[in-house]
Amino acid sequence: VPHFSDPQIAVVQSPQDYRDGNENIFKKLCYAEYKGFFHIGMVTRNDRNAIIQHGTMTMIRRHVLQESGAWAEWCITEDAELGLRVFEEGHGCAYIPHSYGKGLMPDTFTDYKIQRSRWAYGSVQILRTHLSQLFGFKRNRLTAGQRYHFIAGWLPWFADGFNLFFNVLALAWSIAMILMPATFDPPLIAFAVLPVLLFVFKLAKILHLYLTRVGANVRQSLGAILAGLALAHTIGRAVAAGLFTRRRPFIRTPKRADRHALFRAMTDAREESLFMLALWLAAFGISQSGATQSPDLLVWVLVLLLQSLPYATALVFAFISGLRLPARWLGPTTEMERLSHQLVSRDLAD
């Protein structure tokens, strides 16, 4: 509340937090993945007055809410859309990196995907509607830092959408290479290596940030990467849907859902499994074509295998969600919370 003594502050936001992160390994991996946004992304964005209002644990001035037109019922991430409108009108927001309340996480991989799909689709809705404001074509009071963080913050999700499109084309091209090797050559190394380098850089960056900024141990950091990769196909599909459709129903994330049997959990990743098998078969077919002496072809096989990793990760994550393994195998969550709090307190003191 004291933040509202500054008349410029219209929204005060604290992290979304969870009390069931120690129930099993699946939830602990989800918990570690969530931490990155609330203790890296939001802290950084707060330095530029560019946080995302995410609904849970938020306060907003009543007159600002009323004067801005209240919640946008056309958007399934109406909290983030309202926060952007508040910035466009010249108000300020404050982020307090301290947990004031804890809720529940999704219980199954399907529910985890439903939640992230809603977030990604809603982000595309916001970007489409506020494109002119974000790029300065329509008059508003957004700063350069706010424009940067809102656009750059959603780019990784658009990258997942592009990656889905790339994989479909890669499969089509690979099939053509196998059936008509004299007509279709492998893509140039320079074109094929780029996704490999970006993928390796992304993983190294996430691992570094989780170890140094979130306070997670190596197992929890790798688990957060696993959880993030497992959602890549879901996010890609949601982004693609957002680009070609305008309305989707708000699907509530179930909490305390019935526990899935292992087979049911595995079917939660059936789409990802099909993509994984298709990429593996394409790589195998090309490797058996008799032209593996070509560096371009060898690199293309490597690209196909690398592109299959997020899909394989989704299958593994679905398997983990069905097994309900003990959370203690990843180390204490309290230690991650303690170290995270120390890092945030140090940043605030600086």
Side-chain angles (χ1 to χ4, degrees), residues 41-206:
M42 287 288 276
V43 173
T44 302
R45 297 173 76 111
N46 190 50
D47 292 339
R48 307 288 290 278
N49 190 31
I51 66 169
I52 289 179
Q53 186 180 18
H54 50 77
T56 304
M57 307 309 297
T58 187
M59 299 175 71
I60 182 170
R61 290 187 190 273
R62 178 174 175 173
H63 78 85
V64 172
L65 177 63
Q66 293 173 328
E67 292 168 4
S68 64
W71 307 99
E73 297 182 11
W74 55 266
C75 184
I76 62 174
T77 50
E78 74 296 330
D79 41 14
E81 195 277 339
L82 174 64
L84 179 55
R85 257 187 293 136
V86 167
F87 284 133
E88 290 172 354
E89 293 164 8
H91 300 291
C93 300
Y95 180 68
I96 308 167
H98 178 78
S99 174
Y100 287 95
K102 297 184 178 184
L104 298 173
M105 285 183 283
D107 289 271
T108 68
F109 184 46
T110 291
D111 300 336
Y112 190 47
K113 293 199 298 181
I114 287 172
Q115 182 186 64
R116 196 56 53 94
S117 177
R118 185 177 72 243
W119 294 353
Y121 186 89
S123 297
V124 180
Q125 283 184 306
I126 296 171
L127 189 60
R128 289 179 61 167
T129 302
H130 291 261
L131 197 64
S132 298
Q133 291 91 330
L134 286 169
F135 285 94
F137 302 133
K138 183 179 290 186
R139 188 178 181 85
N140 61 80
R141 300 175 68 180
L142 288 175
T143 66
Q146 290 167 343
R147 297 179 202 277
Y148 166 78
H149 279 291
F150 273 91
I151 295 172
W154 287 324
L155 281 181
W157 286 357
F158 278 86
D160 286 332
F162 171 79
N163 198 53
L164 177 60
F165 178 69
F166 174 86
N167 285 339
V168 172
L169 289 181
L171 283 171
W173 191 271
S174 299
I175 292 171
M177 287 171 57
I178 295 170
L179 298 178
M180 295 174 284
T183 305
F184 288 88
D185 296 322
L188 297 175
I189 288 181
F191 175 75
V193 165
L194 181 60
V196 176
L197 295 177
L198 290 175
F199 183 77
V200 172
F201 173 77
K202 176 182 177 180
L203 294 188
K205 175 187 173 185
I206 294 174

Side-chain angles (χ1 to χ4, degrees), residues 291-313:
T292 53
Q293 299 303 315
S294 165
D296 288 340
L297 193 143
L298 288 173
V299 170
W300 185 245
V301 169
L302 175 63
V303 168
L304 293 175
L305 293 175
L306 191 62
Q307 292 296 105
S308 73
L309 280 180
Y311 302 110
T313 301

Side-chain angles (χ1 to χ4, degrees), residues 25-26 28-37 40 112 116 203 206-207 209-211 214 216-231 313 317 330 336:
I25 277 189
F26 169 73
K28 197 154 194 171
L29 292 176
C30 295
Y31 187 79
E33 194 265 340
Y34 287 135
K35 277 280 184 179
F37 174 74
I40 300 174
Y112 190 47
R116 196 56 53 94
L203 294 188
I206 294 174
L207 181 61
L209 289 174
Y210 268 85
L211 290 172
V214 177
N217 61 33
V218 174
R219 283 170 293 170
Q220 292 164 352
S221 300
L222 293 175
I225 292 174
L226 177 74
L229 285 177
L231 292 168
T313 301
F317 205 59
L330 288 181
M336 178 166 60

